[in-house]
Amino acid sequence: MPEPAPVSVPPAPLPSAPLPTAPEDGEGRRDATAYPVLSGTVSGAALLLLCEAAGSVFVAAAVALGVFVLLWGWPAVVGSPEPAGTRLAIAVAAAAAYLSGALDPAGLEVRQLPVAIAAGLVAGFLAQLVRGDIHAGVVAALTAGGAGIALVAAGLAYAPLPESRYADRPVAAAVAGIVASVVADLLPARMRGLRLLAACLLGAAGGAVAGGLLVPGADLLVAGLLGLAAGVVSLAVRITLGELPGARLHSAPPVIAAASLLAPGLLVYTFARLLLG
């Protein structure tokens, strides 16, 4: 009888080194809020502080830098199934806002933002209509675009403050609160409640210190409230985005840092208008 042909067995694959990941906390969850996010947040806050002293145009330019960061990495971080459509929605909203500010003699104002938001949302819907299959991931794509538009609108609310409320330095109080809240990121990731409470206290202290140092006769209570609001919103954004799968990407830290700086803008503007007269 003929002998059976030998069966070749492929060699076993060599073990590969594991990909580098963020450190894990005590419960085994990875904390994606890494030091690059914190350093990016502090750097962006310093840029906003310097631009506030230079005027509204420079604050709008600083916000535009954050918008470009979102255009670059936001779809990947939030897992948008249609990155081009998400970028288009964000770009149209930002372009409409800046164009409105350029055409208005008063400059960029919050009253112009609803039109910009509407333009961005329309662009997001139209981007879905030109897809081959509008049923696949349409909700996720629209949600990603809508969240990006909201961040753009919130960040642009910083721009009018240097012209209308420069003597009170509300942007300085807000960014001081954001920088102070960064300390809360050093607490264990599983202690969310404690981190948010720490962000409240640190943000209020940072805002009050900034008001006391930069504004003679400042209302420290209002400055502390601005710092508290900005600090806790900024930390909440970093926590939320840091738990997404896309937060493990190399492009995520600057995107998360930019989002945490832009998000408190509209709240800071509202408090400044209501409490500073």
Side-chain angles (χ1 to χ4, degrees):
M1 296 180 59
E3 296 182 358
V7 179
S8 61
V9 179
L14 296 175
S16 59
L19 294 174
T21 56
E24 295 185 353
D25 61 43
E27 295 181 3
R29 295 193 303 267
R30 291 185 176 86
D31 181 11
T33 308
Y35 291 107
V37 176
L38 307 186
S39 61
T41 302
V42 173
S43 300
L47 178 62
L48 276 175
L49 180 62
L50 293 175
C51 290
E52 182 194 26
S56 292
V57 174
F58 289 89
V59 173
V63 173
L65 180 60
V67 172
F68 281 120
V69 173
L70 291 183
L71 287 172
W72 169 60
W74 179 255
V77 171
V78 298
S80 172
E82 183 64 23
T86 300
R87 290 190 176 96
L88 177 65
I90 296 173
V92 168
Y98 281 101
L99 181 60
S100 300
L103 297 177
D104 193 329
L108 186 60
E109 295 287 344
V110 170
R111 68 175 182 271
Q112 300 156 358
L113 294 181
V115 176
I117 293 172
L121 291 176
V122 169
F125 277 99
L126 291 177
Q128 300 308 311
L129 291 178
V130 300
R131 294 176 58 189
D133 182 7
I134 64 173
H135 300 289
V138 62
V139 175
L142 291 175
T143 302
I149 292 171
L151 288 174
V152 171
L156 286 172
Y158 286 121
L161 290 175
E163 300 295 337
S164 60
R165 296 289 184 273
Y166 178 74
D168 301 302
R169 303 297 298 273
V171 176
V175 297
I178 292 173
V179 171
S181 73
V182 166
V183 178
D185 287 274
L186 303 179
L187 296 173
R190 64 180 179 275
M191 304 172 65
R192 293 183 186 173
L194 181 59
R195 293 170 72 184
L196 291 173
L197 177 60
C200 291
L201 299 176
L202 292 168
V209 169
L213 292 177
L214 299 176
V215 182
D219 189 334
L220 298 184
L221 181 60
V222 174
L225 181 59
L226 291 172
L228 183 155
V232 72
V233 171
S234 179
L235 176 65
V237 170
R238 292 195 297 273
I239 291 176
T240 303
L241 296 181
E243 295 185 354
L244 296 177
R248 306 324 187 243
L249 300 173
H250 293 295
S251 60
V255 175
I256 297 175
S260 71
L261 286 167
L262 297 176
L266 194 55
L267 187 60
V268 171
Y269 176 87
T270 303
F271 283 177
R273 292 297 300 266
L274 291 176
L275 301 177
L276 296 176

